[in-house]
Amino acid sequence: MSIVQFAAPPAASFDDVVSVLRSAGEPTRLRLLALLSLGEATVKDLTEVLAQSQPRVSRHLKLLTEAGLVERLPEGAWAYYRLVDDGPAAALVRTLIDGVDPADPAVESDRRRLDAIKAAHAAAAQRYFARNAVSWDRLRTLHVAEHDVEAAVRAAVGDRPIHNMLDIGTGTGRMLTLLADRYGRAVGIDMSHDMLSVARANLAAAGIDNAHVRQGDVTALSVGTGFDLVVIHQVLHYLDDPARALREAAAALAPGGRLLIVDFAPHDHEFLRADHAHRRLGFSHEQMRGWIEAAGLAFDTVRDLPPETADGLTVSLFLAADRRMDMADDLRQRIA
């Protein structure tokens, strides 16, 4: 298990401290911050916990968002709220919340109500998963055992510290859970609200509080840059334009960051197009190398995991890397 080390947060200015105290210095807003320290939540969730009107809760959340203490994550007709996790304001808010007695009656009551709401969400997510389990189970019988694929993913990632990870097409959030001991912070994106509900339930069940999920388009990312590792696990075969998704992923990488792609090798199972919305029947090494290099990345390694049956699907793992750090080092050496 790797140990991820972070630099100390920047010191807050006098004005920053005053701004945080002014924004948080109201009972409902402090309760909201304490609740969001336990994980992201919707206005509906927070309204139920606080037993206050939706307009009142929304107004407080708007003030906290404008003050830079809370982040709003739109998801279709919904919106999730979470504490900011970068900058001096984030450190100040965490310090403030840590100073609140968790046994305080109001805090404890809020936490119990939120736990009950999350339990209801988890039950709903599992019902959705159960409704689709039959088709997913059929797919599982066609390719390599999941534990073998996951072992290969962990081996490919290795022990190199990962400060920020992005999981594109996160689905059930399995990659966020599998690699939780490897990263400092992580975000998963998916277009499906139902799958995001499953992912949130799985992250909560695993006790993972340094990762969150949000709705997003894999071909038009809006999550920023600076990710040490980007993972695209069993996503590209659903896309009309995989090359565009790889360009978006490459643009999200930090200098020296890595891109891990897991998908099927070429196959002829046409029923996957008709019954499971697959747009591509696997990818060859040459095809993937071309897309990776066209996206400005270096093609590092590829590993194929063959299926146990003759008509099964081979799973391929492709690892690519951003070479900006190497290029900068080379330039410095040339200048020297």
Side-chain angles (χ1 to χ4, degrees), residues 194-256:
D194 288 325
M195 294 308 293
L196 290 173
S197 296
V198 174
R200 288 188 179 96
N202 288 340
L203 290 173
I208 297 172
D209 60 5
N210 58 333
H212 70 279
V213 296
R214 63 173 69 177
Q215 194 170 47
D217 185 348
V218 302
T219 60
L221 295 178
S222 58
V223 293
T225 60
F227 292 97
D228 306 296
L229 176 68
V230 175
V231 177
I232 309 179
H233 178 262
Q234 297 292 11
V235 172
L236 294 183
H237 58 253
Y238 290 109
L239 305 181
D240 285 314
D241 190 359
R244 180 178 176 182
L246 291 183
R247 290 195 299 271
E248 290 287 307
L253 286 172

Coordinates of all heavy atoms in Angstrom, one line a residue, residues 194-256:
D194 N -28.9 6.9 -12.6 CA -29.1 5.7 -11.9 C -27.8 5.0 -11.5 O -27.7 4.5 -10.3 CB -30.0 4.7 -12.7 CG -31.4 5.1 -12.8 OD1 -32.0 5.6 -11.9 OD2 -32.0 4.8 -13.9
M195 N -26.8 5.0 -12.4 CA -25.6 4.4 -12.1 C -24.8 5.2 -11.0 O -24.1 4.7 -10.2 CB -24.7 4.2 -13.3 CG -25.3 3.2 -14.3 SD -25.7 1.6 -13.6 CE -24.0 1.0 -13.2
L196 N -25.0 6.6 -11.1 CA -24.3 7.4 -10.1 C -24.9 7.1 -8.7 O -24.2 7.2 -7.7 CB -24.5 8.9 -10.5 CG -23.7 9.4 -11.7 CD1 -24.1 10.8 -12.0 CD2 -22.2 9.3 -11.4
S197 N -26.2 6.8 -8.7 CA -26.8 6.5 -7.4 C -26.2 5.2 -6.8 O -26.0 5.1 -5.6 CB -28.4 6.3 -7.6 OG -29.0 7.5 -7.9
V198 N -26.0 4.2 -7.7 CA -25.4 3.0 -7.3 C -23.9 3.3 -6.8 O -23.5 2.8 -5.7 CB -25.3 2.0 -8.4 CG1 -24.5 0.7 -8.0 CG2 -26.7 1.6 -8.8
A199 N -23.2 4.1 -7.5 CA -21.8 4.4 -7.2 C -21.8 5.1 -5.8 O -20.9 4.8 -5.0 CB -21.2 5.3 -8.2
R200 N -22.7 6.1 -5.6 CA -22.7 6.8 -4.3 C -23.0 5.8 -3.2 O -22.3 5.9 -2.1 CB -23.7 7.9 -4.3 CG -23.4 9.1 -5.2 CD -24.3 10.2 -5.0 NE -23.9 11.4 -5.8 CZ -24.4 11.6 -7.0 NH1 -25.3 10.9 -7.5 NH2 -24.0 12.7 -7.7
A201 N -23.9 4.9 -3.4 CA -24.2 3.9 -2.3 C -23.0 3.0 -2.1 O -22.7 2.7 -0.9 CB -25.4 3.1 -2.7
N202 N -22.3 2.6 -3.1 CA -21.2 1.7 -2.9 C -20.0 2.4 -2.2 O -19.3 1.9 -1.4 CB -20.7 1.2 -4.3 CG -21.6 0.2 -4.9 OD1 -22.4 -0.4 -4.2 ND2 -21.6 0.0 -6.2
L203 N -19.8 3.7 -2.6 CA -18.7 4.5 -1.9 C -19.1 4.7 -0.4 O -18.2 4.5 0.5 CB -18.5 5.8 -2.5 CG -17.9 5.8 -3.9 CD1 -17.9 7.2 -4.5 CD2 -16.5 5.3 -3.9
A204 N -20.3 4.9 -0.1 CA -20.7 5.1 1.3 C -20.6 3.8 2.0 O -20.1 3.8 3.2 CB -22.2 5.6 1.3
A205 N -21.0 2.7 1.4 CA -20.9 1.4 2.1 C -19.4 1.0 2.4 O -19.1 0.4 3.4 CB -21.5 0.3 1.2
A206 N -18.5 1.5 1.5 CA -17.1 1.2 1.7 C -16.4 2.2 2.6 O -15.2 2.1 2.9 CB -16.4 1.2 0.3
G207 N -17.1 3.2 3.1 CA -16.5 4.2 3.9 C -15.5 5.1 3.3 O -14.6 5.6 3.9
I208 N -15.7 5.3 2.0 CA -14.7 6.1 1.2 C -15.3 7.6 1.1 O -16.3 7.8 0.5 CB -14.6 5.6 -0.2 CG1 -14.0 4.2 -0.2 CG2 -13.7 6.5 -1.1 CD1 -14.0 3.4 -1.5
D209 N -14.5 8.5 1.8 CA -15.0 9.9 1.8 C -14.1 10.8 1.1 O -14.3 12.0 1.1 CB -15.2 10.3 3.3 CG -13.9 10.3 4.1 OD1 -12.8 9.9 3.5 OD2 -13.9 10.5 5.3
N210 N -13.1 10.3 0.4 CA -12.2 11.1 -0.4 C -12.4 10.9 -1.9 O -11.5 11.3 -2.7 CB -10.7 10.8 0.0 CG -10.3 9.4 -0.3 OD1 -11.2 8.5 -0.2 ND2 -9.0 9.1 -0.5
A211 N -13.6 10.4 -2.2 CA -13.9 10.3 -3.6 C -15.4 10.7 -3.8 O -16.2 10.4 -2.9 CB -13.7 8.9 -4.1
H212 N -15.7 11.3 -4.9 CA -17.1 11.6 -5.2 C -17.4 11.4 -6.6 O -16.5 11.3 -7.5 CB -17.5 13.0 -4.7 CG -16.9 14.1 -5.6 ND1 -15.6 14.5 -5.4 CD2 -17.4 14.8 -6.6 CE1 -15.3 15.5 -6.3 NE2 -16.4 15.7 -7.0
V213 N -18.7 11.3 -7.0 CA -19.1 11.2 -8.4 C -20.0 12.3 -8.8 O -20.6 13.0 -8.0 CB -19.8 9.8 -8.6 CG1 -18.9 8.6 -8.3 CG2 -21.0 9.7 -7.7
R214 N -20.0 12.5 -10.1 CA -20.8 13.6 -10.7 C -21.2 13.2 -12.1 O -20.6 12.4 -12.7 CB -20.1 14.9 -10.7 CG -18.8 15.0 -11.6 CD -18.2 16.4 -11.7 NE -17.6 16.8 -10.4 CZ -17.0 18.0 -10.3 NH1 -16.9 18.8 -11.3 NH2 -16.5 18.3 -9.1
Q215 N -22.3 13.9 -12.6 CA -22.7 13.6 -13.9 C -21.8 14.3 -14.9 O -21.4 15.5 -14.7 CB -24.2 14.0 -14.1 CG -24.8 13.5 -15.4 CD -26.3 13.8 -15.3 OE1 -26.8 14.9 -15.0 NE2 -27.1 12.7 -15.7
G216 N -21.5 13.7 -16.0 CA -20.6 14.3 -17.0 C -20.5 13.5 -18.2 O -20.9 12.4 -18.3
D217 N -20.1 14.2 -19.3 CA -20.1 13.6 -20.6 C -18.6 13.2 -20.9 O -17.7 14.1 -20.9 CB -20.5 14.6 -21.7 CG -20.6 14.1 -23.1 OD1 -20.0 13.0 -23.3 OD2 -21.2 14.7 -24.0
V218 N -18.4 12.0 -21.2 CA -17.0 11.5 -21.4 C -16.3 12.2 -22.6 O -15.1 12.2 -22.7 CB -16.9 10.0 -21.5 CG1 -17.5 9.3 -20.3 CG2 -17.7 9.5 -22.8
T219 N -17.2 12.7 -23.6 CA -16.6 13.3 -24.8 C -16.5 14.8 -24.6 O -16.1 15.5 -25.6 CB -17.4 12.9 -26.0 OG1 -18.8 13.4 -25.8 CG2 -17.4 11.4 -26.2
A220 N -16.9 15.3 -23.5 CA -16.8 16.8 -23.2 C -16.6 17.0 -21.7 O -17.5 17.5 -21.1 CB -18.0 17.5 -23.8
L221 N -15.4 16.7 -21.2 CA -15.2 16.7 -19.8 C -15.2 18.2 -19.3 O -14.8 19.1 -20.0 CB -13.8 16.1 -19.5 CG -13.7 14.6 -19.8 CD1 -12.3 14.1 -19.4 CD2 -14.7 13.8 -19.0
S222 N -15.7 18.3 -18.1 CA -15.6 19.6 -17.5 C -15.2 19.5 -16.0 O -15.7 20.1 -15.1 CB -17.0 20.3 -17.5 OG -18.0 19.4 -16.9
V223 N -14.2 18.7 -15.8 CA -13.7 18.4 -14.4 C -12.3 19.1 -14.2 O -11.7 18.9 -13.1 CB -13.6 16.9 -14.2 CG1 -15.0 16.3 -14.1 CG2 -12.7 16.2 -15.2
G224 N -11.8 19.8 -15.2 CA -10.5 20.5 -15.0 C -9.4 19.6 -15.4 O -9.6 18.6 -16.1
T225 N -8.2 19.9 -14.9 CA -7.0 19.2 -15.3 C -6.2 18.8 -14.0 O -6.7 19.0 -12.9 CB -6.1 20.0 -16.2 OG1 -5.7 21.2 -15.5 CG2 -6.8 20.4 -17.5
G226 N -5.0 18.2 -14.2 CA -4.2 18.0 -13.0 C -4.4 16.6 -12.4 O -4.0 16.4 -11.3
F227 N -4.9 15.6 -13.2 CA -5.1 14.3 -12.6 C -3.9 13.4 -12.9 O -3.4 13.3 -14.0 CB -6.3 13.6 -13.3 CG -7.6 14.3 -12.9 CD1 -8.2 15.2 -13.7 CD2 -8.2 14.0 -11.7 CE1 -9.4 15.9 -13.3 CE2 -9.4 14.6 -11.3 CZ -10.0 15.5 -12.1
D228 N -3.4 12.8 -11.9 CA -2.2 11.9 -12.0 C -2.5 10.6 -12.7 O -1.7 10.0 -13.3 CB -1.6 11.6 -10.6 CG -1.3 12.8 -9.8 OD1 -0.4 13.6 -10.3 OD2 -1.9 13.1 -8.8
L229 N -3.8 10.2 -12.5 CA -4.2 9.0 -13.2 C -5.7 9.1 -13.7 O -6.5 9.6 -12.9 CB -4.2 7.8 -12.2 CG -4.7 6.4 -12.7 CD1 -3.8 5.9 -13.8 CD2 -4.9 5.4 -11.6
V230 N -5.9 8.8 -14.9 CA -7.2 8.8 -15.5 C -7.5 7.3 -15.9 O -6.7 6.7 -16.6 CB -7.4 9.7 -16.7 CG1 -8.7 9.6 -17.3 CG2 -7.1 11.2 -16.3
V231 N -8.7 6.8 -15.5 CA -9.0 5.4 -15.8 C -10.3 5.4 -16.7 O -11.2 6.2 -16.4 CB -9.3 4.6 -14.5 CG1 -9.8 3.2 -14.8 CG2 -8.1 4.6 -13.6
I232 N -10.3 4.7 -17.7 CA -11.4 4.5 -18.6 C -11.7 3.0 -18.7 O -11.1 2.2 -19.5 CB -11.2 5.0 -20.0 CG1 -10.8 6.5 -20.0 CG2 -12.5 5.0 -20.8 CD1 -10.5 7.1 -21.3
H233 N -12.6 2.5 -17.8 CA -12.8 1.0 -17.6 C -14.1 0.6 -18.3 O -15.2 1.0 -17.9 CB -12.8 0.7 -16.1 CG -13.1 -0.7 -15.8 ND1 -14.3 -1.2 -15.5 CD2 -12.3 -1.8 -15.8 CE1 -14.3 -2.5 -15.3 NE2 -13.1 -2.9 -15.5
Q234 N -14.0 -0.2 -19.4 CA -15.1 -0.7 -20.1 C -16.1 0.3 -20.5 O -17.3 0.2 -20.2 CB -15.8 -1.8 -19.2 CG -14.9 -3.0 -18.9 CD -14.6 -3.9 -20.2 OE1 -14.9 -3.5 -21.3 NE2 -14.0 -5.1 -20.0
V235 N -15.6 1.4 -21.1 CA -16.5 2.5 -21.5 C -16.4 2.7 -23.0 O -17.4 3.0 -23.7 CB -16.0 3.8 -20.8 CG1 -16.8 5.0 -21.4 CG2 -16.3 3.7 -19.3
L236 N -15.2 2.6 -23.6 CA -15.0 3.1 -25.0 C -15.9 2.3 -26.0 O -16.3 2.9 -27.0 CB -13.6 2.9 -25.4 CG -12.6 3.8 -24.7 CD1 -11.2 3.6 -25.2 CD2 -13.0 5.3 -24.8
H237 N -16.2 1.0 -25.7 CA -17.0 0.3 -26.7 C -18.5 0.8 -26.8 O -19.2 0.3 -27.7 CB -17.0 -1.2 -26.4 CG -17.5 -1.6 -25.0 ND1 -16.6 -2.0 -24.0 CD2 -18.7 -1.7 -24.5 CE1 -17.3 -2.3 -22.9 NE2 -18.6 -2.1 -23.2
Y238 N -18.9 1.7 -25.9 CA -20.2 2.2 -25.9 C -20.3 3.5 -26.8 O -21.3 4.1 -27.0 CB -20.7 2.6 -24.5 CG -21.1 1.4 -23.7 CD1 -20.3 1.1 -22.6 CD2 -22.2 0.6 -23.9 CE1 -20.6 0.0 -21.8 CE2 -22.5 -0.5 -23.1 CZ -21.7 -0.8 -22.1 OH -22.0 -1.9 -21.3
L239 N -19.1 4.0 -27.2 CA -19.0 5.3 -27.8 C -18.9 5.3 -29.3 O -18.3 4.4 -29.9 CB -17.8 6.1 -27.3 CG -17.7 6.2 -25.7 CD1 -16.5 7.0 -25.4 CD2 -19.0 6.9 -25.2
D240 N -19.6 6.3 -30.0 CA -19.4 6.4 -31.4 C -18.0 7.0 -31.8 O -17.5 6.7 -32.8 CB -20.5 7.4 -32.0 CG -21.8 6.8 -32.0 OD1 -21.9 5.6 -32.5 OD2 -22.8 7.4 -31.6
D241 N -17.4 7.8 -30.9 CA -16.2 8.4 -31.2 C -15.2 8.2 -30.0 O -14.9 9.1 -29.2 CB -16.4 9.9 -31.4 CG -15.2 10.6 -32.0 OD1 -14.1 9.9 -32.1 OD2 -15.2 11.8 -32.2
P242 N -14.6 7.0 -29.8 CA -13.7 6.8 -28.7 C -12.5 7.7 -28.8 O -11.9 8.0 -27.7 CB -13.3 5.3 -28.9 CG -14.4 4.7 -29.7 CD -14.9 5.8 -30.6
A243 N -12.0 8.0 -30.0 CA -10.8 8.9 -30.1 C -11.0 10.2 -29.4 O -10.1 10.8 -28.8 CB -10.5 9.1 -31.6
R244 N -12.3 10.8 -29.5 CA -12.5 12.0 -28.9 C -12.5 11.9 -27.4 O -12.0 12.8 -26.7 CB -13.9 12.5 -29.3 CG -14.3 13.9 -28.7 CD -15.7 14.3 -29.2 NE -16.1 15.6 -28.5 CZ -17.2 16.2 -28.8 NH1 -18.1 15.7 -29.6 NH2 -17.5 17.3 -28.1
A245 N -13.0 10.8 -26.9 CA -13.0 10.6 -25.4 C -11.5 10.5 -24.9 O -11.2 11.0 -23.8 CB -13.7 9.3 -25.0
L246 N -10.6 9.9 -25.7 CA -9.2 9.8 -25.3 C -8.5 11.1 -25.4 O -7.7 11.4 -24.5 CB -8.5 8.8 -26.3 CG -8.9 7.3 -26.1 CD1 -8.1 6.4 -27.0 CD2 -8.8 6.8 -24.7
R247 N -8.9 12.0 -26.3 CA -8.4 13.3 -26.3 C -8.8 14.1 -25.1 O -8.0 14.8 -24.5 CB -8.8 14.1 -27.6 CG -8.2 13.5 -28.9 CD -8.4 14.5 -30.0 NE -9.8 14.7 -30.4 CZ -10.5 14.0 -31.2 NH1 -9.9 13.0 -31.8 NH2 -11.7 14.4 -31.5
E248 N -10.0 14.0 -24.7 CA -10.5 14.6 -23.5 C -9.8 14.1 -22.3 O -9.4 14.9 -21.4 CB -12.0 14.4 -23.3 CG -12.9 15.1 -24.3 CD -13.0 16.6 -24.1 OE1 -13.3 17.0 -22.9 OE2 -12.7 17.4 -25.0
A249 N -9.6 12.8 -22.2 CA -8.9 12.2 -21.1 C -7.4 12.7 -21.0 O -6.9 13.0 -19.9 CB -8.9 10.7 -21.2
A250 N -6.8 12.8 -22.2 CA -5.4 13.2 -22.2 C -5.3 14.7 -21.7 O -4.3 15.0 -21.0 CB -4.8 13.1 -23.6
A251 N -6.2 15.5 -22.1 CA -6.2 16.9 -21.7 C -6.4 17.1 -20.2 O -6.0 18.1 -19.6 CB -7.3 17.7 -22.5
A252 N -7.0 16.1 -19.5 CA -7.2 16.2 -18.1 C -6.0 15.8 -17.3 O -6.0 16.0 -16.1 CB -8.4 15.3 -17.7
L253 N -5.0 15.2 -17.9 CA -3.9 14.7 -17.2 C -2.9 15.8 -16.7 O -2.8 16.8 -17.4 CB -3.0 13.7 -18.1 CG -3.6 12.3 -18.3 CD1 -2.8 11.6 -19.4 CD2 -3.7 11.5 -17.1
A254 N -2.3 15.6 -15.6 CA -1.2 16.4 -15.1 C 0.0 16.1 -15.9 O 0.1 15.0 -16.4 CB -1.0 16.2 -13.6
P255 N 1.0 17.0 -15.9 CA 2.3 16.6 -16.6 C 2.8 15.3 -15.9 O 2.9 15.2 -14.7 CB 3.2 17.8 -16.3 CG 2.2 18.9 -16.2 CD 1.0 18.4 -15.5
G256 N 3.1 14.3 -16.7 CA 3.6 13.1 -16.2 C 2.6 12.1 -15.8 O 2.8 11.0 -15.3

